[in-house]
Amino acid sequence: MNIKMMGRFIAQIIAIEAAFMLPALAISLGCGEWPGVKAFGITVGIMVLLSAGMFLLCRRAGRLFGAKEGFVCVALSWIVMSLLGALPLVLCGQVPHYIDALFEIVSGFTTTGASVISDVEGLFRGMLYWRSFTHWVGGMGVLVFLLAVLPTGNGAGFTMHLLRAESPGPDVGKLVPKMRQTALILYVIYIVLTIINVIFLLAGGMHWLHALCTAFGTAGTGGFGTFNTSLADVSPYLQNATTVFMFLFGINFSCFYLLLMGKLRSVLKDEELRLYIGMFVACVIGIVLSVRPLYGTLAETIRHAAFQVSSVMTTTGFSTTDFDLWPSFAKGILLMLMVVGACAGSTGGGLKCIRVLLLFKVLGRNIRQILTPRKVLVVRSNGKVVDEKVLANTNAYFAAYMIILVLSTLVLSLDGFSVETNLSAALATFNNIGPGIGAVGPTCNFAAFSDLSKVTMCLTMLAGRLEIFPLLVLFSRSTWTRK
Amino acid sequence: MNIIIAGAGKVGKVLVRQLTAEGHDLTIIDRDNQVLESLVVKHDAIGVQGNCASKAVLEQAGVQNADLVIAATNADEVNLLCCLTAHGINPNIHTIARIRDPEYTEQIMTMRQTFPLSLTVNPEKLAAMEIERLLKFPGFLRRESFAKGRSQIVELRIDGKSKLKNVALTDMSNVVKCRVLVCAVLRGGQAVAPSGNFVLQEGDRIFVTAPTSTLAVLLKNLDITTRRVRRVLLCGGGRVSFYLAGLLEKDRISVQLLEKDRSRCLALAEALPETAVVQGDCSNQSILDDQGIDQCDAVISLTGLDETNMIVSLYAANRGVGQTITKLSREESIRIANTMNLGSIISPKELCSNVIVRYVRAMQNQTGAAVSVHAIADGQAEAVEFKVEAGTPNCDVPLKELKLKQDVLIAGIVHGMQSEVPNGDSRFVPGDRVVVVTGRRGMLQQLGDIFA
């Protein structure tokens, strides 16, 4: 285990986080929110000292850096980032309990959007900005950002391990030969799409801070709202614009890259994208049929159905209506969408469409194999044969997914809420969605859970964002024993 | 002509035999001295031992004065380099390379343009295309097309139930109710040029010339069913199987492919999305039964072992499969196979060398030369297509007044779009195409050669 090298990475991550906090500090200054200024100032100071100290300690690092170090490094840096990121909320006094603040910030970085704060509109503007900005940073990944800005990977091939560990999807690859270029392309697409989103929101008459925060929540598929009612009270135009942008950020970013390269045909033929679009359309139709009596006009029904489907499917978690009041068939569709999630290589969470697709294909293959044991059957995706290793990993991922889901539901049950609440809370945090149904529905929040449940949910949120394995590797004994 | 053959493998050997028989001066290059020795002793040629892609070896083989180099070693890349090197030394040389790796098939046309290649041949692909043609016209054992497909020579077997059993050739047109011509008969492995009172017997294989338009009538009146082939079982997963399965997938025929080796199975399953690849040894009859061999419209045996192929085809015929096609490589096997009811037989190296010999003939004689040459009756006879030109003797003379050489038969005349089965009053004029069948291979270089 190359601890010094990891220390250097984490020191750099802390430095970047400090830099990311400066705009929030500036907003606090501009608005004259002195507790906010104090909180951000102290935190930035701590981070700078910590980062410098770690950097000094880890001056002479070896070059050996393998898949194990990559996983541990990613998991550790996300934990450190969250621990430090929670400090301003405590220091300014608005969220006095540290576990609550940690839950809020983990929920931010993992793009979950589950909140413990009931009066969002009462937050300092700097805090509001910081909370939403963590979505944006966490969406694409801070290590990917590090890869894009720092020439750390000079000559060494280990950066691939970092990208693999942080980017969602069963088969992560580079877009171009150079890692730095790949990370840069991803961030440029991300930034440009976010800016377009902000422009659309500003055009709808939204206040600049709200537009910025909403765009951050949409881009990272996070879902922290800036109003107590999420997006229920904004104009239909803003709701529709957000529906479209949530949907866009749930698409694999390499599709956008292929589009830029002019390869429209291969994008349209992409099986995962087809499944994603198909499911969106089918679920909107299903929900419209189910909730039609609850709303006035058909257009309004479609608007709410499309918004909720887009929000849950991409694991964003904004809401325009209290879907907890919907009939159980519509809620069932939403629960199913929570599990499926968005496309691999997007900022969304969940199982990912491609994994669901592969799981179904493997299932079909195995059934056919039972009927014709001698036949040699391969699983194809987009016409290409999927490696058996990827299939085995997908199966293992699904097994780990189910185990964590069941265990976290069990821990949450200790608090005595209904089964529906516990299951949907586990789903909503593990899949990085935000609101669930029942006592954690879109109009409620997670404040009522015990500290144990909150810490558990922090861990499942991180597990969901980092796709389980980095966190399991971190807590596995064989990682820390010398062989 | 001076011809260099690089690589004395399967195709190389057949070429040596055929081209020496036609009187060409052959130089054979091979790495293996023993193989060279045995070939040089058997045929009138000389051998050079060494790497055929090396400049020194090619010069030693006399590439400066050669007209043609045929590269047929087992490596495509060596064949290509051999042709390039030869062309570098002698820019006037014609080059033929065997390129058979499936990964190169898509770029074969650009390769012909980029590199100085006169012709590329792919024995396995040729075999696959031939099998596909046979599957499209079940009922014929073989089928050769002439004059851009307007005239055909088809092979039929007279079995116990055939309407043609014990029928004299003069009465044949009454049975089949259309005009056809039997140009050769294989009886007991021996080719016979039949006369009018020749009586057909069970076990004969007859070669019939007919215009393409009358083929359907012929089949119908002989009660040969032409059920469309829908389900095919391929035994063995070699290159021929690979190409064939690809072609059949495009024809929307359901293909099952049986292969012994697991990793080869995986590779095939990857490359052929519509084909059902099954792992199993096709010499094991219970596996053939498991795969529903009796439900197949055609079984094609393509393993590397002639014996296995023959057994599989016999078993398939036994289980009532309508059409069996057998790949055979060794000449001895082909001779044995002719005594059995094996259905169609395919020999990739023969197909390949036919293409090359055709090219050599066309090269040799620019005017009045054979347009194409097809070996029929197990190579004991050949059908040659000529274009009638202004200078051809005996134009516009009725055939009954012509004196032809022995063993020569005018089997078809094509005037423009019209194809005719000739009789004594037929005549050919410049612009026509004439199909001639002869029992002596390599004898006819131009149309004038048929006259006594």
Side-chain angles (χ1 to χ4, degrees), chain A residues 369 374-378 380 383 385 388, chain B residues 265-266 269-270 273 276-279 287:
Chain A
Q369 191 78 76
R374 285 186 175 278
K375 212 177 245 184
V376 178
L377 298 167
V378 289
R380 279 168 206 278
V385 173
E388 289 296 324
Chain B
C265 277
L266 277 173
E270 253 174 62
V277 180
V278 178
Q279 190 193 1
I287 289 180

Side-chain angles (χ1 to χ4, degrees), chain B residues 96-210:
Chain B
I96 300 179
R98 177 168 75 177
I99 307 281
R100 61 177 182 184
D101 192 323
E103 292 183 344
Y104 297 149
T105 44
E106 273 177 26
Q107 70 205 47
I108 206 84
M109 289 319 287
T110 42
M111 270 163 82
R112 272 198 218 176
Q113 284 162 5
T114 318
F115 303 121
L117 294 176
S118 319
L119 180 71
T120 54
V121 286
N122 184 339
E124 284 81 10
K125 187 144 192 231
L126 284 171
M129 286 159 65
E130 177 72 16
I131 295 171
E132 190 206 11
R133 278 207 308 159
L134 288 171
L135 287 174
K136 278 188 173 169
F137 285 90
F140 300 126
L141 299 177
R142 259 180 93 174
R143 177 175 143 128
E144 308 279 354
S145 302
F146 298 89
K148 295 180 183 146
R150 288 187 195 112
S151 181
Q152 313 273 336
I153 294 184
V154 295
E155 182 182 348
L156 290 165
R157 171 184 277 272
I158 311 288
D159 55 23
K161 290 172 284 180
S162 174
K163 280 187 175 179
L164 288 175
K165 196 172 113 180
N166 301 329
V167 170
L169 292 188
T170 40
D171 300 330
M172 185 169 165
S173 52
N174 297 330
V175 178
V176 298
K177 298 188 185 72
C178 58
R179 283 201 57 202
V180 295
L181 178 70
V182 176
C183 55
V185 177
L186 259 182
R187 177 173 289 175
Q190 210 56 45
V192 184
S195 59
N197 48 16
F198 187 91
V199 178
L200 298 172
Q201 292 175 2
E202 183 178 346
D204 283 353
R205 281 158 62 202
I206 61 173
F207 295 82
V208 181
T209 324

Side-chain angles (χ1 to χ4, degrees), chain A residues 93-113:
Chain A
Q94 288 197 311
V95 186
H97 192 45
Y98 183 71
I99 297 291
D100 283 347
L102 185 65
F103 182 90
E104 192 77 11
I105 285 305
V106 169
S107 167
F109 276 123
T110 60
T111 74
T112 307

Side-chain angles (χ1 to χ4, degrees), chain A residues 138-151:
Chain A
M140 189 51 81
V142 74
L143 275 106
V144 175
F145 185 81
L146 183 69
L147 295 178
V149 292
L150 294 176

Side-chain angles (χ1 to χ4, degrees), chain B residues 187-262:
Chain B
R187 177 173 289 175
Q190 210 56 45
V192 184
S195 59
N197 48 16
F198 187 91
V199 178
L200 298 172
Q201 292 175 2
E202 183 178 346
D204 283 353
R205 281 158 62 202
I206 61 173
F207 295 82
V208 181
T209 324
T212 310
S213 46
T214 58
L215 280 183
V217 183
L218 176 67
L219 282 175
K220 196 176 143 239
N221 291 328
L222 286 177
D223 288 341
I224 297 173
T225 47
T226 50
R227 202 156 68 89
R228 214 177 79 82
V229 171
R230 289 174 203 283
R231 209 176 143 189
V232 174
L233 176 67
L234 309 186
C235 299
R239 286 199 198 91
V240 183
S241 280
F242 170 77
Y243 288 122
L244 181 58
L247 292 170
L248 295 181
E249 278 185 359
K250 274 189 203 143
D251 296 337
R252 300 175 171 279
I253 294 174
S254 135
V255 187
Q256 269 177 301
L257 199 161
L258 205 55
E259 160 67 32
K260 207 160 40 171
D261 182 54
R262 173 91 196 159

